[in-house]
Amino acid sequence: MTNLLLKETRQRHDFTVFCRIMMNQPKKIAVIGGGIVGSTTAFYLSQTDTDVTLYDEETGQATSAAAGIICPWLSQRRNQKWYRLAAGGAAFYPTLMKDIGEGLQYSVIYRQVGTLVFKKTPKLLDKLEKIVQKRRIDAPMIGELAVLSPEDIQEKMPLLETRNPALFASGGAKVDGAQLTQTLKEKAQQNGVVFHKKKVSLHVESMDESPYIINDGTRQERFDAVVLAVGAWLPKLLEPLGYAVDIRPQKGQLVELQLDAETDVWPVVMPDGEMDIIPFAGGKIIVGATHENDKGYDLEPTKEQLQLMLQEANKLVPELEKATITRTRVGTRAYTSDFAPFFGEVPHAPRLYAASGLGASGLTSGPLIARMLTQLIKGEQTDLPLENYPINDYIQKSNSSS
Ligand SMILES: Cc1cc2nc3c(=O)[nH]c(=O)nc-3n(C[C@H](O)[C@H](O)[C@H](O)COP(=O)(O)OP(=O)(O)OC[C@H]3O[C@@H](n4cnc5c(N)ncnc54)[C@H](O)[C@@H]3O)c2cc1C
């Protein structure tokens, strides 16, 4: 056979295999990364006729470090595609809770306790109220919306001392990211998902029917589809395969405190600035978080940064000075250069899916992104148009290595 003929035969074979890959639904899928995106994807895939394996190193995970605020409607970010994703994500939470068998009323994982937002001036607060009133037409979940006086605020959160009004939205919620992913993983495992707490690498054997090989350092396994839900670590997995990935890490730190008070139904407090106060059940209070762009993947807590946030929090809730610091948490957020998240099929790699760039609102948008990844894998229409979150803008093949 001449070289040319040999090449054509190979190309025809490759094309046949490629068509088979595209037409059949995958039977064996690996999910790499067990934060909010990976564990929700594994959970929804576990309800399909597919063998699912979940790998998660767990180190640096943003989800388990996160503060837990679910309230995108009070953000003044103008990007409409981001807003639709985040608002859709917030609206999806009650469905997710139902799907994992959690009640909405008294759950320690997710609870709508309302959000209080402060602004520098009453004029800015009025402006925000008008924006949110308009949003409420399409987002009834925002619930009751009102500018509260300092006295009204104290009724909702007795230890908060302020002379300023705040905007209150009763639909604002708090979620415990670590507990949520733990529950999702447990439910997925009950449905047959195999879980490995391992760091893995990905290799591709082009045009094979199960082209993806995952290596955990001791053994390797083949899969016909892979979901990369590795947050800020996406470049580390894709760059060895010849891709350029527009993702950078951002360090986030926060403090966990224990207060002797009935905190269960206290609202989330968002003062003007970086620091927020998120009360959880049983006296647990979260104060955070930092947004550090120059620390790479560093996971060391820094006393000065945490002290600054505590000082800010103490001004609003002086009682916090008496609280015990029980933990500090550090995680790594993933950002794209235009701050927009993306998800979908990696270019030139059929059935290799990825989601990243969820930034500071990924606990809010993550579950919906995971459901859409599952819809994509099943060949169903996604809840939101994929072209609004174009993966090709952030992941490009830079050379031919694989
Ligand atoms: C301090 C802080 C506060 C935040 N507060 C909020 C908030 O209040 N509200 C909100 O909506 N969002 C918040 N966020 C953002 C949100 O937490 C993230 O956007 C979201 O959790 C990202 O989820 P993810 O699944 O994409 O990534 P991650 O949660 O980071 O998960 C990625 C996982 O992949 C694993 N991994 C990476 N590489 C490999 C590998 N090679 N092999 C195996 N496993 C691997 C990692 O160990 C990690 O467990 C906060 C984030 C931080 C850090």
Side-chain angles (χ1 to χ4, degrees), residues 38-101:
S39 55
T40 313
T41 305
F43 169 72
Y44 280 116
L45 284 176
S46 77
Q47 298 174 337
T48 64
D49 182 21
T50 321
D51 286 344
V52 184
T53 305
L54 174 63
Y55 298 92
D56 189 22
E57 187 193 5
E58 295 180 358
T59 310
Q61 187 184 98
T63 303
S64 53
I69 305 170
I70 308 292
C71 192
W73 319 287
L74 304 193
S75 163
Q76 280 177 282
R77 222 176 129 172
R78 284 166 192 229
N79 186 320
Q80 278 306 310
K81 289 173 188 169
W82 169 83
Y83 175 73
R84 277 196 287 275
L85 183 61
F92 179 57
Y93 257 90
T95 306
L96 179 70
M97 288 302 111
K98 191 164 156 262
D99 290 347
I100 60 171

Side-chain angles (χ1 to χ4, degrees), residues 247-261:
I247 284 290
R248 65 177 165 84
Q250 185 194 64
K251 181 177 175 181
Q253 320 187 44
L254 50 73
V255 191
E256 219 180 278
L257 303 146
Q258 186 63 37
L259 195 63
D260 188 15

Side-chain angles (χ1 to χ4, degrees), residues 249-251 253 292-299 302 305:
Q250 185 194 64
K251 181 177 175 181
Q253 320 187 44
E292 299 165 66
N293 287 315
D294 55 349
K295 300 292 185 313
Y297 294 88
D298 176 45
L299 293 174
T302 42
Q305 297 271 8

Side-chain angles (χ1 to χ4, degrees), residues 199-240:
K199 179 179 183 172
V200 297
S201 57
L202 176 68
H203 309 269
V204 184
E205 266 181 19
S206 186
M207 294 309 169
D208 193 288
E209 267 182 276
S210 296
Y212 300 111
I213 302 164
I214 289 184
N215 191 327
D216 71 8
T218 51
R219 58 185 286 271
Q220 53 182 41
E221 193 166 348
R222 277 185 178 272
F223 293 90
D224 38 275
V226 175
V227 178
L228 301 176
V230 291
W233 294 268
L234 192 60
K236 294 189 189 285
L237 272 138
L238 283 181
E239 277 167 10

Side-chain angles (χ1 to χ4, degrees), residues 36-37 62-63 66-73 75 77 81-83 85-87 89-90 93 175 250 291 333-335 339-341 357-369:
I36 191 68
V37 176
T63 303
I69 305 170
I70 308 292
C71 192
W73 319 287
S75 163
R77 222 176 129 172
K81 289 173 188 169
W82 169 83
Y83 175 73
L85 183 61
Y93 257 90
V175 64
Q250 185 194 64
H291 295 74
R333 303 182 189 90
Y335 274 99
F339 304 96
L358 277 64
S361 53
L363 221 47
T364 309
S365 59
L368 182 61
I369 290 176

